[in-house]
Amino acid sequence: MYDVKGNLREVLSRLPAGVRLVAISKYHPAEYIQAAYDEGQRIFGESHEQELRVKVGALPDDVEWHFIGHLQTNKVKLIAPYIDMIEAVDSMKLLKEINKYALRNNRVIKVLLELHIAEESTKYGLTLDACRELLSCGEWRELKNISICGLMMMASFIDDDEQISREFQTAEDFFNEVKAAYFPDDDNFCERSWGMSDDYHIAVRHGSTMVRIGTAIFGPRVY
Ligand SMILES: *Cc1c(COP(=O)(O)O)cnc(C)c1O
């Protein structure tokens, strides 16, 4: 097996205090997750509902599962009974769907709003203006079974540290803006989920509170 435990210790030793690790285990076998679990890791991130379901059944109950990928509305009801946090929410429609099934399961589901800041064109994530619009419309305040805990984003996949650094800074500035405007008295709104295997060393200099790291712990994914 890949040296999951050694890699995990190495990554953890590089994280400043106050930054939590979400170990991204997608496409890796449950044995790898168990190895990280045995080393003390409790938060894991997956991006496909079926794969997640299998792993939830195979791992201990006290794992905190984060859904990190694009979530289709028709999959919400399947993960609502157990998912701890849904990291990549980018529409009011999805927020409402999560709220609906959280209510049915008599629980509160934590969510992050996904920003689209990177240069790459993708259909996922909110532009800063779209995020401002979603928050200013205020409808989210009625959704009592979700807790909006912060923001999530991915930097561009490029080999340019300065560009990546600028993108994380944009995200950090935007977090401060919406925190002040919409969540000044809400301590739950505190998470900045940015930083992956190749760029977390930059992300932690720009206010990240949560890094999502896969390859650096579990090795290359086999698709
Ligand atoms: C796969 C994935 C990661 C982890 O990427 P690594 O480069 O393997 O660390 C982080 N965030 C999201 C949203 C992902 O899909």
Side-chain angles (χ1 to χ4, degrees):
M1 189 199 300
Y2 213 73
D3 184 15
V4 170
K5 293 185 183 198
N7 293 334
L8 176 66
R9 280 195 296 272
E10 172 89 26
V11 166
L12 287 172
S13 75
R14 292 182 187 178
L15 294 182
V19 179
R20 288 188 299 152
L21 170 66
V22 182
I24 304 301
S25 46
K26 64 187 185 199
Y27 297 102
H28 292 292
E31 292 84 341
Y32 281 31
I33 308 179
Q34 185 67 51
Y37 179 94
D38 292 341
E39 196 61 29
Q41 178 65 23
R42 289 294 178 272
I43 313 176
F44 294 91
E46 289 280 338
S47 56
H48 293 95
E49 182 278 320
Q50 283 191 340
E51 184 182 352
L52 174 57
R53 192 190 326 157
V54 171
K55 288 172 176 174
V56 168
L59 273 294
D61 284 344
D62 64 342
V63 168
E64 199 181 296
W65 295 101
H66 287 204
F67 198 91
I68 58 156
H70 174 68
L71 180 60
Q72 293 166 283
T73 44
N74 64 352
K75 297 284 164 65
V76 172
K77 63 172 176 293
L78 300 173
I79 64 171
Y82 63 82
I83 201 73
D84 197 79
M85 180 181 271
I86 299 175
E87 289 211 20
V89 179
D90 62 0
S91 71
M92 195 60 213
K93 183 179 170 212
L94 190 52
L95 279 180
K96 285 181 178 169
E97 193 75 1
I98 295 167
N99 186 69
K100 173 177 162 185
Y101 286 101
L103 176 62
R104 274 198 201 171
N105 285 279
N106 199 20
R107 57 193 301 263
V108 172
I109 296 178
K110 294 181 249 178
V111 303
L112 302 180
L113 299 175
E114 180 184 5
L115 300 176
H116 176 62
I117 290 173
E119 285 176 335
E120 286 100 18
S121 55
T122 134
K123 37 193 208 305
Y124 305 128
L126 296 155
T127 62
L128 302 189
D129 276 339
C131 190
R132 286 185 186 104
E133 210 169 292
L134 184 151
L135 289 169
S136 72
C137 112
E139 227 181 323
W140 55 275
R141 294 184 195 275
E142 309 304 317
L143 308 176
K144 304 297 183 198
N145 290 74
I146 59 165
S147 172
I148 302 180
C149 294
L151 305 174
M152 176 270 202
M153 57 81 81
M154 276 188 272
S156 296
F157 294 104
I158 48 168
D159 206 4
D160 177 347
D161 285 5
E162 282 180 25
Q163 172 70 22
I164 292 169
S165 192
R166 276 194 296 276
E167 293 176 4
F168 287 140
Q169 189 59 46
T170 298
E172 185 181 15
D173 292 344
F174 187 73
F175 174 89
N176 292 332
E177 174 192 321
V178 295
K179 173 75 183 167
Y182 300 103
F183 303 93
D185 304 315
D186 182 354
D187 291 342
N188 293 321
F189 190 88
C190 64
E191 301 293 0
R192 279 91 68 187
S193 176
W194 41 86
M196 303 170 34
S197 292
D198 288 339
D199 59 19
Y200 75 95
H201 61 289
I202 306 173
V204 296
R205 298 203 297 264
H206 298 280
S208 171
T209 59
M210 213 184 247
V211 290
R212 307 179 310 269
I213 299 181
T215 312
I217 298 169
F218 300 112
R221 288 179 282 274
V222 183
Y223 295 104

